[in-house]
C-alpha cells in the first residue's frame, strides 16, 4: 500500500481548494463532486488522502484557522511593544496577500464563514478555536508585561483588560470588514492599534 505523504502536492491542493469551497458554502452543501471539480483530481485520488469531507474540513481548520498558516506571531524580545505590533500587522498583510493571490479577496468573510461551519459541525473544532483564542490572550499579555518591564508603557496598566482590548479591536474590525470587497484595510488596523498604544505609552 502506498504511504500517504502529508506534504504531497495533491493533498495540499485538496486542502487549499477545499478552503475556498468552505469559505463560501455550507459544509452540508459541498459534495465530493464539488471537491473533484475544484481540485481537478479523481474521487480515488481524494479518497486516498481523506475518506470523508468532514476530515478535509478538519484539516482546513487545522491548517488555516487554528495553526500553521494562521499562527500567532513570535514575540521579538529585542524589540518594543510598538515594533511587535507592527510585525503582527505585517504578518496579517502577508496573509491577506497570499489569499488575494489565490482569489479570496475578503479573507475576513472567508474565515467567518468557515468558523460558522465549524460551529455546526464539531465541538472538537470549536474547542480548537477556543484554545487558539486563549493563546492569543497569552500573546498580548506577554507583550504588555514585557513593555511594562522595559518601562515602555504605564506600569499601572490592567494587562488582562488591554490584552482583550487588542484582540477585540482586531476581531471586531475583521468582522465589520467582511462586507467590504477586499476585506480589512490593514493600514487602518495599524492606526487603531497606534491609538491604543499612544493611550498606554509611558510619558516622560
Amino acid at each position: 500500500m502506498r504511504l500517504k505523504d502529508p506534504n504531497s502536492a495533491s493533498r495540499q491542493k485538496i486542502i487549499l481548494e477545499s478552503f475556498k469551497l468552505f469559505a463560501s458554502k455550507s459544509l452540508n452543501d459541498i459534495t465530493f463532486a464539488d471537491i473533484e471539480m475544484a481540485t481537478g483530481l479523481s474521487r480515488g485520488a481524494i479518497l486516498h488522502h481523506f475518506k470523508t469531507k468532514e476530515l478535509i474540513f478538519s484539516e482546513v481548520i487545522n491548517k488555516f484557522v487554528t495553526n500553521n498558516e494562521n499562527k500567532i506571531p513570535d514575540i521579538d524580545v529585542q524589540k518594543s511593544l510598538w515594533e511587535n505590533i507592527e510585525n503582527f500587522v505585517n504578518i496579517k498583510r502577508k496573509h491577506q496577500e497570499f489569499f488575494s493571490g489565490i482569489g479570496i479577496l475578503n479573507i475576513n468573510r472567508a474565515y467567518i464563514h468557515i468558523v460558522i461551519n465549524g460551529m455546526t459541525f464539531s465541538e472538537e473544532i470549536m474547542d480548537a478555536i477556543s484554545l487558539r483564542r486563549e493563546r492569543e490572550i497569552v500573546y498580548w499579555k506577554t507583550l504588555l508585561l514585557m513593555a511594562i518591564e522595559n518601562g515602555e508603557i504605564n506600569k499601572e496598566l490592567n494587562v488582562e483588560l488591554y490584552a482583550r482590548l487588542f484582540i477585540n479591536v482586531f476581531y471586531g474590525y475583521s468582522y465589520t470588514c467582511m462586507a467590504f470587497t477586499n476585506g480589512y484595510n490593514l493600514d487602518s488596523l495599524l492606526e487603531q492599534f497606534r491609538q491604543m498604544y499612544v493611550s498606554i505609552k509611558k510619558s516622560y
Side-chain angles (χ1 to χ4, degrees):
M1 173 187 280
R2 251 187 331 143
L3 294 176
K4 299 176 184 177
D5 178 3
N7 298 311
S8 72
S10 59
R11 180 185 175 89
Q12 294 307 311
K13 186 172 188 179
I14 293 166
I15 296 169
L16 179 60
E17 294 301 326
S18 295
F19 174 92
K20 293 157 75 172
L21 286 173
F22 295 133
S24 60
K25 296 176 66 176
S26 167
L27 179 64
N28 290 330
D29 293 335
I30 296 169
T31 65
F32 259 101
D34 293 324
I35 298 171
E36 289 175 63
M37 182 174 296
T39 61
L41 298 172
S42 68
R43 179 75 56 95
I46 296 169
L47 290 173
H48 172 70
H49 295 288
F50 300 100
K51 297 304 180 188
T52 67
K53 67 178 180 180
E54 288 78 15
L55 287 175
I56 299 174
F57 183 66
S58 293
E59 189 60 27
V60 165
I61 289 284
N62 180 61
K63 183 176 178 65
F64 291 111
V65 180
T66 59
N67 292 302
N68 302 343
E69 301 300 330
N70 192 30
K71 72 175 185 176
I72 298 169
D74 294 327
I75 293 174
D76 190 335
V77 298
Q78 302 300 319
K79 292 185 176 180
S80 67
L81 169 61
W82 179 246
E83 288 171 318
N84 275 286
I85 290 173
E86 287 182 312
N87 181 58
F88 176 92
V89 174
N90 284 335
I91 286 175
K92 296 301 177 184
R93 197 181 305 279
K94 290 177 183 177
H95 200 218
Q96 187 182 50
E97 289 169 354
F98 168 77
F99 281 104
S100 178
I102 62 170
I104 297 178
L105 299 182
N106 190 322
I107 188 61
N108 314 100
R109 188 185 304 153
Y111 271 113
I112 288 169
H113 201 99
I114 284 178
V115 170
I116 290 172
N117 264 326
M119 290 173 67
T120 60
F121 165 62
S122 167
E123 284 295 326
E124 183 180 340
I125 287 174
M126 290 313 300
D127 288 344
I129 293 172
S130 296
L131 182 60
R132 159 69 185 227
R133 205 63 72 245
E134 290 303 315
R135 292 202 304 266
E136 290 175 330
I137 292 172
V138 170
Y139 167 81
W140 285 105
K141 285 175 67 174
T142 301
L143 276 179
L144 292 167
L145 288 169
M146 184 179 73
I148 289 173
E149 185 177 339
N150 294 337
E152 184 183 355
I153 62 176
N154 295 318
K155 65 180 180 181
E156 297 85 7
L157 186 80
N158 185 326
V159 171
E160 180 77 27
L161 173 64
Y162 270 84
R164 293 182 183 278
L165 283 175
F166 273 104
I167 291 171
N168 290 343
V169 165
F170 173 68
Y171 282 105
Y173 184 53
S174 297
Y175 177 79
T176 58
C177 289
M178 71 174 180
F180 303 154
T181 302
N182 295 319
Y184 53 18
N185 180 319
L186 287 165
D187 290 332
S188 178
L189 174 65
L190 187 62
E191 178 60 21
Q192 292 175 63
F193 279 156
R194 190 183 74 81
Q195 293 300 322
M196 289 185 64
Y197 174 74
V198 168
S199 73
I200 62 177
K201 189 174 185 295
K202 188 173 181 179
S203 56
Y204 295 94

